[in-house]
Amino acid sequence: MDKDLGRLLYNYLLKTGMTEGLAAYINLFVMLIVVLVLVMLLDVLIWKVLRALSVRLARKSKNNFDNFLVAHRVPRYIAHIVPLTILLEFVPVAFTDFEYAGIITLKTIKILFVFLTLIILRKFFKSVNGYLKTRPKFRDKPINSYVQVFMIFAWVVGLLTIFVIVTDTTVWKFFTALGAASAVILLIFKDSILGFVASIQVTINDMVRIGDWITFEKYGADGDVVEISLATVKVQNFDMTITTIPTYALISDSFKNWRGMQVSGGRRIKRSLIIRQKSIRFLTEEEIEKLKKIQLVEGYIGTRNEQIRAYNEENNINKEVLVNGRNLTNFGVFRKYVTNYLENHSAINKKMTLMVRQLQPTPQGIPLEIYAFSSDKRWENYEYVMADIFDHLLAALPYFSLELFELPVAKDYVSTGDD
């Protein structure tokens, strides 16, 4: 812009007999007022045009990305670019007689331009993040982490640009000075660097997604992942509290992700009944006939008893003592009863592992473990199914003359009369 244009009022005032100093100040003041008013009007005009275009594009667009741009006011900040550009061109003209003030003003506008660029980038990336979260393919991905990484690089470049503007130096001199302080910088950005590396590994290895149920005992987390950012992972626990975990802890420490269970056909039931050893014994013929009345083991007892009887007769086994030969036990029949009960239970997934097994004896008794999978994986329903199964089994134990181990209470002790 021609500098002579900026001195038209100044020359006119000199002709009227005004002093040079006063004429220069009046000239500067008037030009600033005129330009600022024009710039503000231009800013509003551009914004209205961009808003009208945004509405028109939104109506024609097949996706809703433009809605996120408008929601984060990206067009509004873009509208500031042209007015700032005009101010940059105007400053040398207006401050012709105030060189030092012109330099300061010019640097200030350039710095504002850098901040405006950073704000536009931040708003744009937030719009991209919001849009991708509406897409099923990206809904459970840690997009926030990558947005933060891009913004860190953008801020580094922006601050570097501001440094160059303020000091009138070169980028290479800045990096020379930066080398001496690199250790301090690495220490300051340690968590961000570790978080960035962790975010990449978490995404590539598909270790955690938003919405996954994870258990992280070290940090007391047990709930759903609601946010994955560059530095932290937020977990909403089932008591509605929020636990914040460093992102790099996902690759440095051990945690449990329940996604495999959630996408499978069932949720595991793995619980034991501790049977008193003294209650386990061989069954007599009278007891066998009595247990045949239980429908779930009627066929099993009949078939198995005939096989045992035939074996004992073929081998001339003396059955006056029960321990001789082969026999049915109340514990073995109960184990078969539990297996048949689970196989006929409507809430158990029959296509997955179903097993009733006897574990190693303990000082408390013999553990009988139920290993099966509930078809309903929802927590409340899962607990109900498991409780329903064990309610029945606990009530069924006396029919097989079995006892469950429990610590004695005062009424279990009977006085012997000896003091």
Side-chain angles (χ1 to χ4, degrees):
M1 188 179 292
D2 190 356
K3 293 185 178 181
D4 292 335
L5 182 62
R7 307 194 70 176
L8 290 176
L9 180 60
Y10 173 79
N11 294 331
Y12 173 78
L13 293 175
L14 288 181
K15 291 179 181 179
T16 60
M18 190 176 293
T19 61
E20 291 184 359
L22 182 59
Y25 279 108
I26 293 176
N27 180 73
L28 176 62
F29 178 76
V30 171
M31 290 197 67
L32 287 177
I33 294 297
V34 172
V35 172
L36 287 176
V37 170
L38 291 175
V39 165
M40 291 175 64
L41 291 175
L42 182 61
D43 182 76
V44 173
L45 177 62
I46 294 174
W47 160 233
K48 288 184 178 295
V49 172
L50 288 177
R51 184 172 60 182
L53 289 174
S54 300
V55 172
R56 183 173 297 180
L57 289 174
R59 290 174 179 174
K60 294 182 178 180
S61 177
K62 294 182 180 180
N63 59 55
N64 58 350
F65 177 61
D66 46 3
N67 296 336
F68 286 96
L69 291 175
V70 174
H72 289 96
R73 305 185 68 190
V74 175
R76 184 70 187 93
Y77 287 101
I78 292 177
H80 296 321
I81 294 177
V82 175
L84 274 180
T85 305
I86 292 175
L87 282 177
L88 282 174
E89 294 293 330
F90 171 76
V91 165
V93 177
F95 288 86
T96 302
D97 298 312
F98 302 92
E99 184 177 353
Y100 182 75
I103 293 173
I104 299 298
T105 305
L106 194 62
K107 288 184 177 182
T108 302
I109 295 174
K110 289 181 178 179
I111 292 173
L112 288 175
F113 208 103
V114 173
F115 279 116
L116 176 61
T117 304
L118 291 173
I119 292 173
I120 292 174
L121 286 174
R122 180 172 175 270
K123 296 291 183 180
F124 175 78
F125 284 129
K126 288 182 70 175
S127 302
V128 172
N129 183 30
Y131 170 70
L132 291 179
K133 284 184 176 180
T134 63
R135 311 294 296 178
K137 185 177 180 180
F138 299 97
R139 191 172 296 162
D140 55 0
K141 298 296 186 295
I143 305 299
N144 284 337
S145 301
Y146 300 107
V147 171
Q148 291 176 348
V149 170
F150 288 136
M151 285 311 303
I152 287 176
F153 282 117
W155 274 102
V156 169
V157 174
L159 293 176
L160 180 60
T161 305
I162 292 173
F163 175 82
V164 171
I165 292 172
V166 172
T167 59
D168 288 327
T169 185
T170 62
V171 177
W172 300 113
K173 289 184 179 180
F174 175 79
F175 278 115
T176 302
L178 190 64
S182 58
V184 178
I185 293 174
L186 288 175
L187 183 63
I188 294 174
F189 291 101
K190 181 191 73 172
D191 289 342
S192 297
I193 295 171
L194 290 175
F196 174 57
V197 175
S199 296
I200 294 175
Q201 292 187 349
V202 165
T203 302
I204 292 176
N205 298 322
D206 198 19
M207 297 169 62
V208 176
R209 302 175 188 169
I210 295 174
D212 282 356
W213 168 19
I214 68 170
T215 302
F216 211 136
E217 294 182 1
K218 180 178 179 179
Y219 294 92
D222 186 17
D224 298 327
V225 176
V226 295
E227 181 181 324
I228 302 176
S229 63
L230 183 63
T232 59
V233 175
K234 288 184 179 179
V235 178
Q236 184 173 42
N237 301 310
F238 294 123
D239 60 359
M240 304 312 293
T241 58
I242 300 293
T243 300
T244 302
I245 304 170
T247 305
Y248 58 80
L250 296 177
I251 59 174
S252 62
D253 296 314
S254 176
F255 69 97
K256 183 182 289 185
N257 191 332
W258 295 85
R259 189 202 311 157
M261 178 274 295
Q262 293 174 325
V263 300
S264 69
R267 184 170 179 176
R268 189 181 69 175
I269 297 173
K270 186 175 181 289
R271 184 178 290 185
S272 299
L273 294 170
I274 309 297
I275 308 298
R276 287 190 63 187
Q277 296 180 16
K278 289 184 178 181
S279 67
I280 300 174
R281 54 186 174 80
F282 295 120
L283 291 173
T284 64
E285 287 296 330
E286 292 78 11
E287 290 172 327
I288 290 174
E289 291 301 320
K290 185 178 179 180
L291 288 175
K292 281 183 179 180
K293 296 179 181 179
I294 301 176
Q295 293 181 348
L296 285 177
V297 290
E298 179 184 3
Y300 167 76
I301 293 176
T303 303
R304 189 65 174 162
N305 194 39
E306 289 298 326
Q307 293 173 348
I308 291 174
R309 184 178 300 168
Y311 173 84
N312 291 334
E313 290 177 354
E314 289 176 5
N315 293 275
N316 298 318
I317 302 297
N318 180 11
K319 293 306 297 178
E320 291 181 3
V321 180
L322 282 178
V323 75
N324 292 333
R326 297 172 64 179
N327 300 278
L328 284 173
T329 64
N330 59 345
F331 195 28
V333 174
F334 179 69
R335 184 156 40 86
K336 184 61 177 178
Y337 172 81
V338 176
T339 302
N340 291 344
Y341 175 75
L342 294 175
E343 288 176 347
N344 286 275
H345 200 291
S346 60
I348 297 298
N349 190 334
K350 314 306 185 302
K351 296 180 180 179
M352 302 184 74
T353 304
L354 194 159
M355 179 169 51
V356 180
R357 59 177 180 166
Q358 182 184 136
L359 301 182
Q360 183 175 347
T362 69
Q364 290 75 33
I366 309 294
L368 183 69
E369 184 183 77
I370 285 79
Y371 194 102
F373 288 83
S374 166
S375 298
D376 198 327
K377 295 169 285 186
R378 292 171 294 180
W379 190 11
E380 310 94 296
N381 297 350
Y382 163 78
E383 293 291 345
Y384 176 83
V385 169
M386 186 161 55
D388 180 68
I389 291 172
F390 280 87
D391 285 348
H392 179 87
L393 297 181
L394 289 171
L397 277 172
Y399 289 88
F400 297 85
S401 302
L402 292 170
E403 297 178 13
L404 196 69
F405 170 82
E406 60 181 0
L407 292 173
V409 295
K411 67 179 182 179
D412 293 329
Y413 293 97
V414 179
S415 175
T416 61
D418 297 330
D419 295 328

